[in-house]
């Protein structure tokens, strides 16, 4: 009789890349561990960390401190920290937290089982950065999974002056296309509907591969997989957004009509200081080209306020770009100096008070733009992929449009995991309200394994 598996609890901070990495941790540990959502019963507690802002790093340190008590109650439990903070701090983290058993970096995930075996005898640190893409791990899909994240590259060569990623995730490497295609085929064959491809800069995918391939060529290969209804990707660097990629919008059926295109600032002076490789005009030209290609495309972005040296005039440039680009959503953050980055040692650091005040103005403008974009959708019938029960009400379901907005509506729980038509009835600042219009719809049957999901034409 096989011995019962131990339990692993994984706490994930940060971006979708970290969510994908946590999934990979669970996969590589599957022989010995099952996931639990109850930390108090864990035999192994892993924290997957984010170092993108000082605040996220502080949250990790605070959680680590609070786990001293749990470790005292369960001394046999192994406690490990992985991800970007682990990569950045290495031995220092182990020295600062005597109750910590294991520190592992962003690229050692496939070495985790071996590392854990060693950690039972002696505390371990593994923050080696490797060349190339790590060996593929076979993935098992949950029978109810309709959406998944697929990592297509890792690392970054861009060295934006504010960003710690090239230091904690290493240089850029692309994953072989046939592995990516096989993974997506498997997922769709198991009933999957939506795939999000992940990389720090997906637009430079393919460089250095034995058989070079551009990102749009990869998208075309994936777009040919029968049954894949929705294809998304993140993140896309504006300087590498090609005409070839723009031309796919409206042409490649599964490609969702949404693009996340981080601009960071509207000021040419600051874009140069950030080492972004484009200026305001070039960014807006790409936005215009996207809108010419597909007028209904929704655009989201990232913006940093209070970058060193940012003046009120620079900030006004950001506000005006935001209006010109009419983003449907913007993730706005106060600049946070990061170790090793060039911007951390720049003069004229902006005070926290000014950053907070500018952030509030930026968010207020974005709220107006988002609400206006939501109001334009009222009355339309759109395809929604139903993700589960709404957070606000157990009687409501929640899902997303292809253009990425969240829609809440009433409907039976059997709709979860299906593509259904929903009429948008109300616009709110952060979500939409809708009405399910087909009861039952011939289009919204959940595909059986190996079947093809049927898409709506709305
Ligand atoms: S493109 Fe710039 S912001 Fe994005 S991960 Fe690379 S260095 Fe960081």
């Amino acid at each position: 009789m096989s011995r019962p598996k131990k339990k692993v609890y994984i706490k994930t901070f940060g971006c979708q890349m970290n969510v994908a990495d946590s999934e990979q941790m669970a996969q590589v540990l599957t022989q010995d561990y099952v996931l639990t959502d109850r930390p108090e019963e864990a035999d192994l507690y892993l924290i997957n960390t984010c170092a993108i802002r000082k605040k996220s790093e502080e949250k990790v340190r605070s959680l680590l401190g609070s786990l001293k008590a749990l470790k005292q109650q369960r001394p046999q439990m192994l406690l490990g920290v992985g991800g970007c903070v682990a990569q950045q701090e290495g031995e220092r983290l182990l020295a600062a937290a005597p109750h910590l058993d294991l520190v592992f970096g962003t690229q050692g995930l496939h070495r985790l089982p071996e590392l854990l075996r060693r950690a039972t005898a002696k505390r371990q640190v593994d923050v080696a950065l490797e060349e190339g893409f790590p060996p593929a791990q076979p993935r098992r899909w949950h029978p109810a999974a309709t959406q998944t994240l697929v990592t297509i590259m890792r690392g970054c060569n861009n060295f934006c002056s504010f960003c710690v990623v090239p230091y904690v995730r290493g240089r850029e490497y692309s994953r072989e296309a046939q592995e990516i295609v096989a993974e997506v085929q498997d997922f769709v064959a198991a009933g999957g509907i939506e795939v999000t491809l992940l990389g720090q800069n997906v637009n430079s995918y393919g460089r250095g591969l034995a058989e070079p391939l551009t990102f749009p060529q990869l998208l075309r290969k994936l777009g040919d997989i029968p049954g894949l209804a929705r294809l998304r990707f993140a993140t896309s660097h504006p300087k590498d957004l090609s005409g070839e990629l723009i031309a796919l919008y409206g042409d490649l059926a599964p490609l969702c009509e949404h693009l996340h295109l981080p601009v960071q600032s509207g000021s040419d002076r600051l874009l140069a200081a950030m080492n972004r490789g484009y200026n305001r005009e070039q960014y807006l030209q790409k936005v215009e080209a996207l809108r010419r290609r597909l007028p209904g495309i929704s655009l989201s972005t990232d913006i940093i306020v209070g970058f060193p040296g940012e003046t009120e005039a620079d900030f006004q440039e950001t506000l005006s770009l935001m209006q010109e680009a009419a983003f449907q959503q913007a993730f706005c953050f106060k600049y946070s100096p990061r170790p090793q980055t060039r911007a951390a040692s720049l003069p004229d650091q902006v005070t926290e008070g000014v950053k907070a005040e500018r952030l509030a103005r930026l968010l207020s403008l974005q709220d107006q733009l988002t609400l206006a974009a939501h109001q334009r959708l009222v009355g339309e019938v759109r395809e929604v992929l139903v993700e589960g029960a709404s957070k606000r009400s157990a009687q409501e379901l929640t899902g997303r449009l292809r253009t990425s907005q969240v829609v809440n509506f009433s409907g039976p729980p059997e709709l979860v995991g299906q593509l259904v038509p929903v009429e948008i009835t109300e616009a709110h600042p952060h979500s939409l309200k809708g009405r399910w219009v087909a009861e039952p719809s011939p289009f919204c049957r959940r595909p059986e394994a190996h079947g093809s999901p049927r898409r709506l034409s709305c």
Side-chain angles (χ1 to χ4, degrees), residues 37-269:
D37 54 8
R38 293 163 54 90
E40 65 280 5
E41 63 175 30
D43 301 293
L44 170 63
Y45 191 126
L46 297 176
I47 310 173
N48 190 7
T49 61
C50 170
I52 204 83
R53 273 173 287 283
K54 194 165 173 218
K55 206 167 166 188
S56 18
E57 195 177 323
E58 284 166 358
K59 276 191 203 163
V60 170
R61 290 185 191 278
S62 150
L63 171 63
L64 192 53
S66 73
L67 287 173
K68 255 187 216 157
L70 182 62
K71 182 75 182 171
Q72 269 164 5
Q73 284 163 21
R74 298 176 61 80
Q76 80 289 2
M77 178 188 85
L78 286 175
L79 177 58
V81 174
C84 296
V85 175
Q87 187 69 46
Q88 181 184 286
E89 298 298 311
E91 292 277 357
R92 286 195 295 271
L93 211 49
L94 214 55
H99 57 299
L100 183 59
D101 300 293
L102 171 74
V103 175
F104 57 104
T106 53
Q107 297 186 9
L109 306 188
H110 56 289
R111 298 189 292 270
L112 203 46
E114 174 55 27
L115 220 47
L116 286 170
R117 266 187 287 280
R118 295 210 302 262
T120 53
K122 185 170 181 277
R123 302 169 82 206
Q124 298 288 317
V125 176
D126 177 354
V127 289
L129 285 177
E130 294 172 342
E131 294 199 346
F133 207 88
Q137 304 293 327
R139 289 183 75 174
R140 288 195 200 140
W141 312 107
H142 188 282
T146 51
Q147 298 166 287
T148 196
L149 304 170
V150 173
T151 304
I152 64 164
M153 56 199 301
R154 71 175 191 188
C156 183
N157 293 347
N158 282 317
F159 290 92
C160 299
S161 65
F162 54 83
C163 181
V164 76
V165 165
Y167 305 97
V168 293
R169 287 194 176 262
R171 296 297 82 75
E172 176 186 297
Y173 291 100
S174 295
R175 186 177 176 195
E176 291 295 338
Q178 63 268 31
E179 266 186 26
I180 299 168
V181 171
E183 191 166 313
V184 174
Q185 279 170 335
D186 271 4
F187 177 63
V188 173
I193 290 176
E194 179 179 295
V195 170
T196 302
L197 307 175
L198 292 183
Q200 301 296 343
N201 176 17
V202 291
N203 292 337
S204 62
Y205 171 83
R207 292 178 196 158
L209 285 177
E211 287 178 39
L213 192 79
T214 64
F215 181 56
Q217 286 167 339
L218 174 70
L219 290 176
R220 283 216 180 271
K221 278 180 186 281
L222 298 172
D224 285 343
I225 295 173
L228 177 64
R230 289 183 171 202
L231 185 56
R232 304 182 186 276
F233 55 84
T235 293
S236 198
H237 195 303
K239 80 174 161 57
D240 297 320
L241 176 65
S242 64
E244 190 190 358
L245 178 52
I246 292 172
L248 289 187
Y249 282 97
D251 185 33
L252 193 67
L255 186 60
C256 288
E257 296 78 15
H258 168 245
L259 178 64
H260 185 67
L261 197 61
V263 66
Q264 307 299 1
S265 171
S267 152
D268 282 347
R269 210 173 62 80

